Each structure stands twice: as C-alpha cells, then as structure tokens.
Amino acid sequence: MAVYTEVDDAALEALVAEYDLGRLLSCKGIAEGVENSNFLLVTEAGPHILTLYEKRVKAEDLPFFLGLMQHLAARGFICPTPIAGRDGRALRHVAGRPAAIISFLRGVWPRRPTAVHCAGVGAAMADLHRCATDFGLRRANDLSLAGWGNLLRSCQSQADAFSPGLSAELTRELEALQAAWPDPAALPRGVIHADMFPDNVFFLENRLSGVIDFYFACNDMLAYDLAVALNAWCFERDGAFNVTKGRALLEAYVRSRPLTVAERDALPLLARGAALRFLLTRLYDWLNQVPGAMVKPKDPTEYLQKMRFHREVANAAGYGLEYAP
C-alpha cells in the first residue's frame, strides 16, 4: 500500500463531492505495503481509506474484490466496506487509476504476533470461509501453481546474483511441487483471502478488530489459505517455526471448520508451495523496484528459509495439529 500515484487537491475535492461524506478535511499517504496507493482520507463524516489500484491489480478483478468485501461485511465479518457514491457505485477513477473509498477500521497490526493473535487469525479465517460460501462471483488464483513458472522465468536470469545457486534450487522446488501438488478437486474449495499477513489484520487489546486488503482474494483450496497463514504468522524472527503459534492458529480454525484427512495430509506441501509463491513475488519485487515508492521491497531470503523448513515437515503434527494417519 505504498503511494505510487499522487492525487492533487482538485481531484480529491471532486471525488469527495460525489459522496455524502461532507467536506474534505485532509488526505495523507499511507507508507505500507507494496501493491496499491493508499491514503487516509478524512472528511466531515470521519476517516476513510482511499485506494488507487495500481498496474498489478487488474481492473476486471475489481468487481470481485469490492463485491466480496460488501458481501462479507453484510454477513457480519469484520472487514472494510466499499462506500457507494450518490450514484450507487463504489468504483471510481482518480488520477488515471481505478479507485474506491473504503470504510476505516480501528486497530493496529501486531509487530510481534503471539499465540493469542494466531488463534484470532485462525478463527477469523474459518469465519471468512464460512461467510463467503454463497458469494456469487469467482476469481481464479493467478498466483497458485500454474502461475509460479512464469514468475520464476521472470526472475531466473538474476536469481543467482541475489543468492548463488538460487536459480537451480527454485527450479528443482517448482518441479517437485508440480509433481506432488494435490488435485484441487480432492480438497474443499471456496473463497480465500490468500494474503492474511500480520499487516492485514488489526487487533485492539488482543481482540481481532478487522481484516483488510482483499486484493489477492480468489477461489482456491481452503487449506491453502491456512498454509499462507502458517508462513505469515508462525515463524520467529530468527527463522524458527513456533509450534505453539501453529497449534493456536490451526486449532482455532478447526473448531469452526474441521479439516478433512486429505487437507491434513496436504498441509506440509501446501505450506511449502505458499512459501515458494511469496519467495518468487518478493524476489520479483526486489529485482524490479519501483522508482519513487515509499516502501522498500521485502527481503526474499525469509521465504527461502521457510520453504526449506517445510520440505522437512512430514505431516500436520509438525505444525502443532494433532495428526492421526
């Protein structure tokens, strides 16, 4: 959510005039994230978030993202709600970019997640999967197995300059995952968040107060969402996996939606694939930095270490979940 596109005062005032939000009071860029340009927009109606969707977000996907947030919010899930203007539309164009004004959620994201935070995330993820069951739109996961080859090819020529031998290791890893990846039809599927990292989840006094940033949401295996969360929440800063956090996250999830035997069996492979996915996108961003962005791309090395860890995990017990083969 770094600011890539600036918006002048006249454009902001014209935008706000299309809503029943009162006068524009202030607008300030938010210097976090890497996908879109985000601003804290304050009007007489209170604070909101203005998002300008940058080139990585496809315009044709925006009805899915915005519709999903509206659908989830209507069912009581704590997430931002796209605000409709006087004409009933939430999607706008500002400074040459598709844009939307989204409701503001209070809370802070945890810089050092605890098992309590992980339990909150597990419960929220199960709630999201349940609330999205009857969402009518569909979107394929462009960043699942079928898309990793293109990502790897885009990075391959420079991968060894980042880390010697990395190109060959990534090639072997992708080939291994392609050979063993579970049949998607064999596992429960639905709408997943696909990016539920700590900076996308807000807490107030250890109580989850909202989930944001649905711009990777898609239809995929529900257990893949858990795999992403295990990578994002359950490793310590030294690279060690914290099994207490893993257990808290998974047990909170299965209390609401028990995993099938096939999902439990697939969890290490899904976690390994999720690690490769974020390693590849981080590597791409590192090698293709955007001039003028307010945020430096994240170091891919973290996910290289996680990917190597998952290779050695035999079953779901390695993540703290009771396992009975």
Side-chain angles (χ1 to χ4, degrees), residues 82-112:
I83 307 299
R86 294 193 186 95
D87 59 2
R89 295 186 298 109
L91 186 60
R92 292 289 193 270
H93 280 79
V94 178
R97 297 281 189 267
I101 295 178
I102 311 292
S103 64
F104 179 82
L105 296 182
R106 298 192 180 278
V108 295
W109 65 269
R111 268 62 176 178
R112 297 185 69 91

mmCIF file of all heavy atoms in Angstrom, residues 82-112:
data_model
loop_
_atom_site.group_PDB
_atom_site.id
_atom_site.type_symbol
_atom_site.label_atom_id
_atom_site.label_comp_id
_atom_site.label_asym_id
_atom_site.label_seq_id
_atom_site.Cartn_x
_atom_site.Cartn_y
_atom_site.Cartn_z
ATOM 1 N N PRO A 82 -16.601 -1.138 0.965
ATOM 2 C CA PRO A 82 -16.533 -0.106 -0.072
ATOM 3 C C PRO A 82 -17.741 0.824 0.024
ATOM 4 O O PRO A 82 -18.879 0.379 0.176
ATOM 5 C CB PRO A 82 -16.561 -0.917 -1.377
ATOM 6 C CG PRO A 82 -16.052 -2.277 -0.985
ATOM 7 C CD PRO A 82 -16.558 -2.502 0.403
ATOM 8 N N ILE A 83 -17.482 2.128 -0.042
ATOM 9 C CA ILE A 83 -18.539 3.135 0.093
ATOM 10 C C ILE A 83 -19.079 3.495 -1.296
ATOM 11 O O ILE A 83 -18.313 3.785 -2.211
ATOM 12 C CB ILE A 83 -18.000 4.408 0.781
ATOM 13 C CG1 ILE A 83 -17.319 4.037 2.114
ATOM 14 C CG2 ILE A 83 -19.118 5.414 0.992
ATOM 15 C CD1 ILE A 83 -18.231 3.383 3.124
ATOM 16 N N ALA A 84 -20.382 3.468 -1.430
ATOM 17 C CA ALA A 84 -21.013 3.849 -2.695
ATOM 18 C C ALA A 84 -21.229 5.359 -2.726
ATOM 19 O O ALA A 84 -21.557 5.985 -1.714
ATOM 20 C CB ALA A 84 -22.341 3.125 -2.873
ATOM 21 N N GLY A 85 -21.031 5.944 -3.891
ATOM 22 C CA GLY A 85 -21.332 7.357 -4.083
ATOM 23 C C GLY A 85 -22.826 7.569 -4.246
ATOM 24 O O GLY A 85 -23.633 6.642 -4.133
ATOM 25 N N ARG A 86 -23.189 8.785 -4.534
ATOM 26 C CA ARG A 86 -24.611 9.108 -4.688
ATOM 27 C C ARG A 86 -25.252 8.355 -5.849
ATOM 28 O O ARG A 86 -26.467 8.150 -5.873
ATOM 29 C CB ARG A 86 -24.794 10.614 -4.900
ATOM 30 C CG ARG A 86 -24.412 11.468 -3.705
ATOM 31 C CD ARG A 86 -24.911 12.892 -3.875
ATOM 32 N NE ARG A 86 -24.412 13.742 -2.796
ATOM 33 C CZ ARG A 86 -23.317 14.484 -2.877
ATOM 34 N NH1 ARG A 86 -22.602 14.478 -3.994
ATOM 35 N NH2 ARG A 86 -22.938 15.230 -1.862
ATOM 36 N N ASP A 87 -24.434 7.913 -6.799
ATOM 37 C CA ASP A 87 -24.964 7.176 -7.952
ATOM 38 C C ASP A 87 -25.049 5.672 -7.686
ATOM 39 O O ASP A 87 -25.408 4.901 -8.574
ATOM 40 C CB ASP A 87 -24.114 7.429 -9.193
ATOM 41 C CG ASP A 87 -22.652 7.009 -8.999
ATOM 42 O OD1 ASP A 87 -22.311 6.494 -7.918
ATOM 43 O OD2 ASP A 87 -21.853 7.209 -9.939
ATOM 44 N N GLY A 88 -24.700 5.247 -6.460
ATOM 45 C CA GLY A 88 -24.779 3.833 -6.108
ATOM 46 C C GLY A 88 -23.545 3.029 -6.454
ATOM 47 O O GLY A 88 -23.484 1.834 -6.137
ATOM 48 N N ARG A 89 -22.541 3.639 -7.069
ATOM 49 C CA ARG A 89 -21.336 2.917 -7.474
ATOM 50 C C ARG A 89 -20.200 3.132 -6.477
ATOM 51 O O ARG A 89 -19.995 4.247 -5.995
ATOM 52 C CB ARG A 89 -20.878 3.363 -8.864
ATOM 53 C CG ARG A 89 -21.851 3.038 -9.997
ATOM 54 C CD ARG A 89 -21.254 3.387 -11.357
ATOM 55 N NE ARG A 89 -20.973 4.821 -11.485
ATOM 56 C CZ ARG A 89 -19.755 5.346 -11.505
ATOM 57 N NH1 ARG A 89 -18.687 4.578 -11.370
ATOM 58 N NH2 ARG A 89 -19.603 6.659 -11.638
ATOM 59 N N ALA A 90 -19.442 2.060 -6.217
ATOM 60 C CA ALA A 90 -18.276 2.167 -5.350
ATOM 61 C C ALA A 90 -16.997 2.412 -6.141
ATOM 62 O O ALA A 90 -16.054 3.026 -5.633
ATOM 63 C CB ALA A 90 -18.121 0.900 -4.506
ATOM 64 N N LEU A 91 -16.935 1.936 -7.371
ATOM 65 C CA LEU A 91 -15.718 2.044 -8.172
ATOM 66 C C LEU A 91 -15.658 3.391 -8.881
ATOM 67 O O LEU A 91 -16.622 3.815 -9.526
ATOM 68 C CB LEU A 91 -15.660 0.906 -9.190
ATOM 69 C CG LEU A 91 -14.371 0.793 -10.007
ATOM 70 C CD1 LEU A 91 -13.164 0.573 -9.095
ATOM 71 C CD2 LEU A 91 -14.494 -0.360 -11.011
ATOM 72 N N ARG A 92 -14.529 4.078 -8.761
ATOM 73 C CA ARG A 92 -14.306 5.382 -9.361
ATOM 74 C C ARG A 92 -12.987 5.368 -10.144
ATOM 75 O O ARG A 92 -12.256 4.376 -10.138
ATOM 76 C CB ARG A 92 -14.227 6.455 -8.263
ATOM 77 C CG ARG A 92 -15.548 6.708 -7.542
ATOM 78 C CD ARG A 92 -16.493 7.416 -8.498
ATOM 79 N NE ARG A 92 -17.663 7.971 -7.841
ATOM 80 C CZ ARG A 92 -18.808 7.317 -7.665
ATOM 81 N NH1 ARG A 92 -18.911 6.052 -8.003
ATOM 82 N NH2 ARG A 92 -19.855 7.916 -7.129
ATOM 83 N N HIS A 93 -12.660 6.491 -10.785
ATOM 84 C CA HIS A 93 -11.356 6.700 -11.411
ATOM 85 C C HIS A 93 -10.791 8.030 -10.914
ATOM 86 O O HIS A 93 -11.472 9.053 -10.970
ATOM 87 C CB HIS A 93 -11.460 6.690 -12.929
ATOM 88 C CG HIS A 93 -11.521 5.317 -13.506
ATOM 89 N ND1 HIS A 93 -12.671 4.558 -13.508
ATOM 90 C CD2 HIS A 93 -10.546 4.539 -14.056
ATOM 91 C CE1 HIS A 93 -12.430 3.386 -14.065
ATOM 92 N NE2 HIS A 93 -11.151 3.338 -14.402
ATOM 93 N N VAL A 94 -9.559 7.988 -10.415
ATOM 94 C CA VAL A 94 -8.885 9.167 -9.892
ATOM 95 C C VAL A 94 -7.437 9.146 -10.369
ATOM 96 O O VAL A 94 -6.772 8.108 -10.291
ATOM 97 C CB VAL A 94 -8.919 9.192 -8.343
ATOM 98 C CG1 VAL A 94 -8.175 10.404 -7.807
ATOM 99 C CG2 VAL A 94 -10.346 9.166 -7.831
ATOM 100 N N ALA A 95 -6.956 10.268 -10.875
ATOM 101 C CA ALA A 95 -5.561 10.396 -11.310
ATOM 102 C C ALA A 95 -5.174 9.283 -12.283
ATOM 103 O O ALA A 95 -4.060 8.748 -12.227
ATOM 104 C CB ALA A 95 -4.626 10.405 -10.100
ATOM 105 N N GLY A 96 -6.110 8.903 -13.148
ATOM 106 C CA GLY A 96 -5.829 7.882 -14.149
ATOM 107 C C GLY A 96 -5.830 6.468 -13.622
ATOM 108 O O GLY A 96 -5.411 5.539 -14.337
ATOM 109 N N ARG A 97 -6.294 6.263 -12.408
ATOM 110 C CA ARG A 97 -6.318 4.931 -11.811
ATOM 111 C C ARG A 97 -7.737 4.590 -11.360
ATOM 112 O O ARG A 97 -8.476 5.458 -10.885
ATOM 113 C CB ARG A 97 -5.404 4.863 -10.587
ATOM 114 C CG ARG A 97 -3.924 5.095 -10.882
ATOM 115 C CD ARG A 97 -3.310 3.819 -11.467
ATOM 116 N NE ARG A 97 -1.861 3.940 -11.552
ATOM 117 C CZ ARG A 97 -1.216 4.373 -12.633
ATOM 118 N NH1 ARG A 97 -1.905 4.759 -13.689
ATOM 119 N NH2 ARG A 97 0.107 4.439 -12.641
ATOM 120 N N PRO A 98 -8.138 3.305 -11.444
ATOM 121 C CA PRO A 98 -9.361 2.887 -10.760
ATOM 122 C C PRO A 98 -9.196 3.138 -9.267
ATOM 123 O O PRO A 98 -8.088 3.010 -8.723
ATOM 124 C CB PRO A 98 -9.455 1.381 -11.060
ATOM 125 C CG PRO A 98 -8.534 1.147 -12.200
ATOM 126 C CD PRO A 98 -7.453 2.182 -12.104
ATOM 127 N N ALA A 99 -10.274 3.504 -8.586
ATOM 128 C CA ALA A 99 -10.163 3.896 -7.181
ATOM 129 C C ALA A 99 -11.454 3.585 -6.442
ATOM 130 O O ALA A 99 -12.519 3.420 -7.044
ATOM 131 C CB ALA A 99 -9.841 5.384 -7.065
ATOM 132 N N ALA A 100 -11.340 3.493 -5.116
ATOM 133 C CA ALA A 100 -12.517 3.300 -4.270
ATOM 134 C C ALA A 100 -12.234 3.906 -2.908
ATOM 135 O O ALA A 100 -11.082 3.944 -2.448
ATOM 136 C CB ALA A 100 -12.862 1.815 -4.125
ATOM 137 N N ILE A 101 -13.291 4.380 -2.266
ATOM 138 C CA ILE A 101 -13.227 4.822 -0.879
ATOM 139 C C ILE A 101 -13.791 3.703 -0.019
ATOM 140 O O ILE A 101 -14.888 3.185 -0.276
ATOM 141 C CB ILE A 101 -14.006 6.131 -0.674
ATOM 142 C CG1 ILE A 101 -13.341 7.271 -1.456
ATOM 143 C CG2 ILE A 101 -14.083 6.493 0.808
ATOM 144 C CD1 ILE A 101 -14.073 8.600 -1.359
ATOM 145 N N ILE A 102 -13.020 3.323 0.993
ATOM 146 C CA ILE A 102 -13.349 2.162 1.826
ATOM 147 C C ILE A 102 -13.511 2.627 3.269
ATOM 148 O O ILE A 102 -12.819 3.549 3.724
ATOM 149 C CB ILE A 102 -12.220 1.111 1.759
ATOM 150 C CG1 ILE A 102 -11.835 0.826 0.308
ATOM 151 C CG2 ILE A 102 -12.610 -0.168 2.467
ATOM 152 C CD1 ILE A 102 -12.874 0.131 -0.511
ATOM 153 N N SER A 103 -14.391 1.978 4.004
ATOM 154 C CA SER A 103 -14.578 2.332 5.416
ATOM 155 C C SER A 103 -13.289 2.107 6.201
ATOM 156 O O SER A 103 -12.464 1.262 5.860
ATOM 157 C CB SER A 103 -15.724 1.521 6.025
ATOM 158 O OG SER A 103 -15.417 0.140 6.040
ATOM 159 N N PHE A 104 -13.133 2.862 7.265
ATOM 160 C CA PHE A 104 -11.926 2.833 8.102
ATOM 161 C C PHE A 104 -12.147 1.891 9.284
ATOM 162 O O PHE A 104 -13.175 1.954 9.953
ATOM 163 C CB PHE A 104 -11.629 4.248 8.595
ATOM 164 C CG PHE A 104 -10.429 4.347 9.494
ATOM 165 C CD1 PHE A 104 -9.157 4.423 8.965
ATOM 166 C CD2 PHE A 104 -10.579 4.371 10.873
ATOM 167 C CE1 PHE A 104 -8.042 4.535 9.795
ATOM 168 C CE2 PHE A 104 -9.482 4.480 11.708
ATOM 169 C CZ PHE A 104 -8.206 4.562 11.172
ATOM 170 N N LEU A 105 -11.178 0.998 9.530
ATOM 171 C CA LEU A 105 -11.243 0.096 10.681
ATOM 172 C C LEU A 105 -10.233 0.532 11.724
ATOM 173 O O LEU A 105 -9.083 0.850 11.390
ATOM 174 C CB LEU A 105 -10.943 -1.347 10.262
ATOM 175 C CG LEU A 105 -11.925 -2.016 9.303
ATOM 176 C CD1 LEU A 105 -11.486 -3.453 9.035
ATOM 177 C CD2 LEU A 105 -13.337 -1.991 9.870
ATOM 178 N N ARG A 106 -10.634 0.502 12.965
ATOM 179 C CA ARG A 106 -9.728 0.869 14.055
ATOM 180 C C ARG A 106 -8.962 -0.366 14.528
ATOM 181 O O ARG A 106 -9.476 -1.475 14.522
ATOM 182 C CB ARG A 106 -10.512 1.484 15.221
ATOM 183 C CG ARG A 106 -11.233 2.766 14.802
ATOM 184 C CD ARG A 106 -11.770 3.539 15.987
ATOM 185 N NE ARG A 106 -12.447 4.750 15.527
ATOM 186 C CZ ARG A 106 -11.833 5.879 15.213
ATOM 187 N NH1 ARG A 106 -10.513 5.946 15.319
ATOM 188 N NH2 ARG A 106 -12.520 6.925 14.793
ATOM 189 N N GLY A 107 -7.744 -0.123 14.950
ATOM 190 C CA GLY A 107 -6.901 -1.196 15.440
ATOM 191 C C GLY A 107 -5.488 -1.038 14.929
ATOM 192 O O GLY A 107 -5.188 -0.150 14.126
ATOM 193 N N VAL A 108 -4.606 -1.909 15.386
ATOM 194 C CA VAL A 108 -3.214 -1.913 14.947
ATOM 195 C C VAL A 108 -2.825 -3.344 14.603
ATOM 196 O O VAL A 108 -3.344 -4.303 15.179
ATOM 197 C CB VAL A 108 -2.264 -1.352 16.026
ATOM 198 C CG1 VAL A 108 -2.540 0.118 16.284
ATOM 199 C CG2 VAL A 108 -2.384 -2.150 17.325
ATOM 200 N N TRP A 109 -1.926 -3.464 13.649
ATOM 201 C CA TRP A 109 -1.489 -4.821 13.331
ATOM 202 C C TRP A 109 -0.320 -5.203 14.238
ATOM 203 O O TRP A 109 0.496 -4.358 14.609
ATOM 204 C CB TRP A 109 -1.149 -4.957 11.852
ATOM 205 C CG TRP A 109 0.011 -4.181 11.309
ATOM 206 C CD1 TRP A 109 -0.003 -2.944 10.758
ATOM 207 C CD2 TRP A 109 1.370 -4.641 11.207
ATOM 208 N NE1 TRP A 109 1.247 -2.586 10.317
ATOM 209 C CE2 TRP A 109 2.117 -3.611 10.583
ATOM 210 C CE3 TRP A 109 2.028 -5.815 11.567
ATOM 211 C CZ2 TRP A 109 3.472 -3.714 10.319
ATOM 212 C CZ3 TRP A 109 3.383 -5.935 11.325
ATOM 213 C CH2 TRP A 109 4.101 -4.889 10.708
ATOM 214 N N PRO A 110 -0.221 -6.477 14.628
ATOM 215 C CA PRO A 110 0.786 -6.893 15.610
ATOM 216 C C PRO A 110 2.174 -7.027 14.996
ATOM 217 O O PRO A 110 2.390 -7.829 14.096
ATOM 218 C CB PRO A 110 0.266 -8.252 16.096
ATOM 219 C CG PRO A 110 -0.543 -8.776 14.963
ATOM 220 C CD PRO A 110 -1.138 -7.573 14.278
ATOM 221 N N ARG A 111 3.127 -6.251 15.511
ATOM 222 C CA ARG A 111 4.508 -6.338 15.012
ATOM 223 C C ARG A 111 5.191 -7.607 15.499
ATOM 224 O O ARG A 111 6.073 -8.122 14.819
ATOM 225 C CB ARG A 111 5.301 -5.114 15.470
ATOM 226 C CG ARG A 111 5.313 -3.935 14.500
ATOM 227 C CD ARG A 111 3.957 -3.346 14.230
ATOM 228 N NE ARG A 111 4.028 -2.156 13.375
ATOM 229 C CZ ARG A 111 2.989 -1.466 12.962
ATOM 230 N NH1 ARG A 111 1.763 -1.836 13.333
ATOM 231 N NH2 ARG A 111 3.134 -0.416 12.176
ATOM 232 N N ARG A 112 4.806 -8.103 16.671
ATOM 233 C CA ARG A 112 5.360 -9.351 17.197
ATOM 234 C C ARG A 112 4.192 -10.260 17.580
ATOM 235 O O ARG A 112 3.758 -10.276 18.734
ATOM 236 C CB ARG A 112 6.264 -9.084 18.403
ATOM 237 C CG ARG A 112 7.497 -8.251 18.073
ATOM 238 C CD ARG A 112 8.414 -8.113 19.283
ATOM 239 N NE ARG A 112 9.043 -9.383 19.620
ATOM 240 C CZ ARG A 112 10.213 -9.786 19.147
ATOM 241 N NH1 ARG A 112 10.885 -9.030 18.297
ATOM 242 N NH2 ARG A 112 10.724 -10.937 19.507
#
